[in-house]
């Protein structure tokens, strides 16, 4: 372990990366996609088949005749579906392509007697066989929802492509069928039935075979995804959780995000010695870790190496969200990855916190006003709550969430009141009403997870929308004032993305580029609460601890950002359960965490 840590001026430096994955799968995947597009064009557009590109288009089963057109279309669609898997070095995509290309070449020669088509198919097959060792990536985590998504997307694509097929023969169409008739013809054709549109000559058979091929591909791929052996998404096992808790017991003080490694929708890899671990989740092909590795710093390299081996084995894109400065230095040194500053974490030292002074005037006045309105606060350990009150808090936290989907990954635990989380701290606000609601006098909730033995890290903030503004300030002040009673000396609050850019951009003398960057962040704050979180945190006069994103290449950043938004719950590609079904879950199964960016600070 290095004695020092990088200076602030060196955080954005580019560190030489290690060897990139082999380039062969990338260009083979692109070649497969190009061949697929040519095959689709050859099967759909009559004029394309007779153009100067005729020889190139004859890549797979021939371009003339109803049956040949349908085969060309089928091969093209399948190659397009396989192209992404080939780029990611997936073994199953390689097997499918190796089986598809010879079959297409045989069909090309049998129906068209075309040597050119066979040679082009072989030209793509040869590098696949020659570099077969580069296509060894294991499958991604998956579920049965993938089959439904495939049916919807492939069905929509088949209808759109089917409309093109129906409309590219205007000279052979009998009469002037309406758009409804053409759409009906596509739907019937996908199911193998004859529709209301008629054509002259063999065109009717060509259209029918092509539409039937699209329907067949949609059905086969959906059935395959629905009945293939399931490779479930990784989750934290009981044994893994016990090991992680043992590591946190010894080394949990190092990172305020350490306890969030106990989310049960994460997987974990341990160092060979078992003294360190990295937890992660795979989202859209990105192997996303958060925070620093857990455990002994001297054993971090072993856990990081296991993490990178797992990423290579599955051809996942490695990334780390929100690691500390020390963690970023170890990650970049051990892996050759790059690191960029993502934002700052607000940390309040309890001994230095006071409501006195001009800087705390606004917070002080707001807290006094709310207390005069009749609100009182209680700060307790989770283990000190009764079962009835704990259940009421759980239900209130879910109903006050404000969104249909749970948000949170890097700074959210995902549950409240688990028996193993008795050390978690909860602050609640109460006000006696003449007509108490469903949750009695409960008006707001703050939940903190342990940060070693003497710290706490903010997990979620929820409040009743009918309560007075300022509930969050009230409870944070209450938690900080009660912290010494629980032996807590430091409290981690929200994470403020791009805080330094916002702070420098509003100062006198800021340059045009910095001002423009700040203006963009303020604009994005309408949806992501970037500026509001920064200003809310700044009220409590914290010290700022930088956090970093670690990535492999600049080209990966958009993909990593999208995966992080999925993990945090801002982008939801799955179909959520209806709310009434979610409420039926047992308390142990119900997720209760909230992402930092979701935390309600608008009332501030």
């Amino acid at each position: 372990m290095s004695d020092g840590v990088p200076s602030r001026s060196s955080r954005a430096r580019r560190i030489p990366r290690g060897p990139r994955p082999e380039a062969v799968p990338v260009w083979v995947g692109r070649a497969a996609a190009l061949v697929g597009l040519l095959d689709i064009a050859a099967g759909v557009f009559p004029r394309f088949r007779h153009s100067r590109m005729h020889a190139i288009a004859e890549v797979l089963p021939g371009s003339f005749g109803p049956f040949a057109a349908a085969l060309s279309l089928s091969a093209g669609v399948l190659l397009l579906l396989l192209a992404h898997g080939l780029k990611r070095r997936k073994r199953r995509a390689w097997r499918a392509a190796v089986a598809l290309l010879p079959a297409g070449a045989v069909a090309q020669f049998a129906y068209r007697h075309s040597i050119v088509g066979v040679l082009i198919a072989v030209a793509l097959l040869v590098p696949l066989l020659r570099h077969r060792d580069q296509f060894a990536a294991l499958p991604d985590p998956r579920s049965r929802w993938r089959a439904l998504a495939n049916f919807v997307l492939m069905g929509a694509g088949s209808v759109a492509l089917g409309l093109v097929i129906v409309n590219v023969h205007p000279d052979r169409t009998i009469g002037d069928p309406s758009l409804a008739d053409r759409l009906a013809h596509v739907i019937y054709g996908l199911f193998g039935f004859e529709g209301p549109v008629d054509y002259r000559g063999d065109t009717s058979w060509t259209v029918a075979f092509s539409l039937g091929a699209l329907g067949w591909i949609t059905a086969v791929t959906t059935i395959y995804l629905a009945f293939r052996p399931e490779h479930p998404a990784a989750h934290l096992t009981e044994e893994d959780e016990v090991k992680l808790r043992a590591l946190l017991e010894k080394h949990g003080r190092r990172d305020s995000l350490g306890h969030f490694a106990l989310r049960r929708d994460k997987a974990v890899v341990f160092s060979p010695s078992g003294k360190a671990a990295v937890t992660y989740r795979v989202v859209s092909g990105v192997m996303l870790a958060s925070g620093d590795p857990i455990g002994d710093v001297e054993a971090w390299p072993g856990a990081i190496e296991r993490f990178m081996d797992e990423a290579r084995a599955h051809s996942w894109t490695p990334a780390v969200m929100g690691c500390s400065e020390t963690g970023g230095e170890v990650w970049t040194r051990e892996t050759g990855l790059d690191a960029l500053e993502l934002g700052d974490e607000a940390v309040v030292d309890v001994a230095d916190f006071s409501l006195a002074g001009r800087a705390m005037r606004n917070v002080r006045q707001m807290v006094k006003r709310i207390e005069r309105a009749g609100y009182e606060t209680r700060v307790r350990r989770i283990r000190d709550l009764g079962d009835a009150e704990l259940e009421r808090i759980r239900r209130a936290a879910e109903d006050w969430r404000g969104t249909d989907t749970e948000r949170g990954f890097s700074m959210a635990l995902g549950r409240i009141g688990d028996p193993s989380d008795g050390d978690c701290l909860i602050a609640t606000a109460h006000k006696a009403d003449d007509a108490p609601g469903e949750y009695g006098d409960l008006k707001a909730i703050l939940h903190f997870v342990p940060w070693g033995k003497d710290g706490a890290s903010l997990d979620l903030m929820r409040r009743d929308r009918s309560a007075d503004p300022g509930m969050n300030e009230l409870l944070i002040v209450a938690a900080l004032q009660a912290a010494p009673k629980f032996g807590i000396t430091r409290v981690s609050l929200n994470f403020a993305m791009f805080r330094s850019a916002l702070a420098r951009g509003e100062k006198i003398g800021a340059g045009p580029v910095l001002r423009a960057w700040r203006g963009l962040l303020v604009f994005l704050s309408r949806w992501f609460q970037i500026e509001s979180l920064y200003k809310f945190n700044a009220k409590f006069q914290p010290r700022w601890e930088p956090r970093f994103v670690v990535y492999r290449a600049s080209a990966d950043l958009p993909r990593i950002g999208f995966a992080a938004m999925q993990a945090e719950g801002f982008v939801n590609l799955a179909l959520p359960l209806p709310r009434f079904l979610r409420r039926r879950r047992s308390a142990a199964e119900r997720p209760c965490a909230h992402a930092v960016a979701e935390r309600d600070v608008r009332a501030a």
Side-chain angles (χ1 to χ4, degrees), residues 164-243:
V164 175
I165 295 172
V166 169
N167 287 286
V168 293
H169 307 279
D171 297 337
R172 292 180 174 269
T173 304
I174 298 176
D176 186 19
S178 64
L179 178 61
D181 289 336
R182 296 172 190 267
L183 183 60
H185 193 85
V186 172
I187 301 298
Y188 282 126
L190 293 176
F191 287 93
F193 300 104
E194 186 176 354
V197 181
D198 292 326
Y199 301 90
R200 300 183 184 91
D202 293 337
T203 303
S204 293
W205 290 104
T206 301
V207 172
F209 278 145
S210 298
L211 293 176
L214 288 175
W216 175 81
I217 292 174
T218 301
V220 168
T221 54
T222 301
I223 292 172
Y224 167 74
L225 292 173
F227 291 98
R228 65 180 174 173
E230 192 166 7
H231 185 70
H235 65 280
L236 203 64
T237 65
E238 292 184 7
E239 181 181 358
D240 291 337
E241 186 172 340
V242 170
K243 292 180 180 179

Side-chain angles (χ1 to χ4, degrees), residues 233-508:
H235 65 280
L236 203 64
T237 65
E238 292 184 7
E239 181 181 358
D240 291 337
E241 186 172 340
V242 170
K243 292 180 180 179
L244 285 175
R245 288 186 182 276
L247 293 178
L248 289 171
E249 181 71 19
K250 294 181 180 179
H251 308 282
R253 193 179 190 277
R254 180 174 294 278
D255 186 15
S256 63
L257 305 189
H259 200 86
F260 298 120
L262 298 175
R263 282 184 66 100
R264 287 163 185 165
D265 55 0
K266 290 183 177 181
V268 61
V269 289
F270 290 91
S271 65
S273 64
K275 295 181 179 180
V278 176
T279 58
Y280 66 91
R281 187 196 299 174
V282 178
V283 184
S284 297
V286 177
M287 192 177 182
L288 200 62
S290 61
D292 292 343
I294 307 300
D296 188 352
V297 177
E298 299 296 333
W300 281 9
I304 290 174
E305 183 179 1
R306 289 280 179 89
F307 176 89
M308 297 300 294
D309 289 343
E310 191 77 4
R312 281 189 290 268
H314 293 266
S315 190
W316 292 330
T317 300
V320 185
M321 299 295 296
C323 65
S324 69
E325 196 164 4
T326 301
E329 181 184 345
V330 177
W331 272 101
T332 54
R333 189 187 67 220
E334 296 296 328
T335 64
L337 300 179
D338 284 341
L340 286 177
E341 186 171 333
L342 185 63
D344 293 88
E345 175 188 10
V347 178
V348 178
D349 292 313
V350 174
D352 298 332
F353 177 77
S354 172
L355 287 178
R358 184 177 180 83
M360 298 297 294
R361 179 181 177 184
N362 291 335
V363 176
R364 181 173 65 250
Q365 290 178 344
M366 180 170 289
V367 170
K368 295 297 183 182
R369 178 179 57 81
I370 296 174
E371 289 176 343
R372 287 195 300 268
Y375 289 89
E376 64 174 26
T377 59
R378 302 169 191 167
V379 182
R380 293 160 290 176
R381 296 284 188 188
I382 284 289
R383 59 172 171 263
D384 296 329
L385 271 64
D387 293 339
E389 184 178 9
L390 187 56
E391 177 61 22
R392 184 167 66 251
I393 289 174
R394 287 196 190 104
R395 290 188 291 107
E398 181 173 346
D399 285 348
W400 295 344
R401 184 172 59 227
T403 59
D404 287 336
T405 56
E406 281 289 348
R407 292 181 176 177
F409 170 69
S410 56
M411 294 182 72
L413 184 59
R415 58 185 182 267
I416 289 181
D418 190 275
S420 59
D421 297 324
D423 286 338
C424 289
L425 203 67
I426 190 161
T428 55
H430 305 262
K431 182 182 180 182
D433 294 327
D434 295 335
E438 181 180 358
Y439 308 113
D441 62 353
L442 184 63
K443 298 300 179 183
I445 304 165
L446 260 63
H447 187 255
F448 298 83
V449 300
W451 175 10
K453 295 183 181 301
D454 62 346
S457 185
L458 184 58
D459 176 23
L460 64 82
M461 302 167 70
R462 301 282 167 82
R463 69 179 183 88
D464 187 345
R465 300 295 174 177
S466 64
D468 292 339
M471 291 292 102
N472 294 330
E473 288 90 337
L474 175 68
L475 288 180
I476 287 179
V477 169
L480 291 171
Q481 291 176 338
K485 181 176 64 175
F486 299 99
I488 293 174
T489 61
R490 54 191 177 151
V491 176
S492 169
L493 301 179
N494 299 297
F495 171 72
M497 291 187 63
F498 309 115
R499 182 208 65 87
S500 58
L502 289 169
R504 293 196 300 266
E506 64 184 357
K507 290 182 177 180
I508 297 176

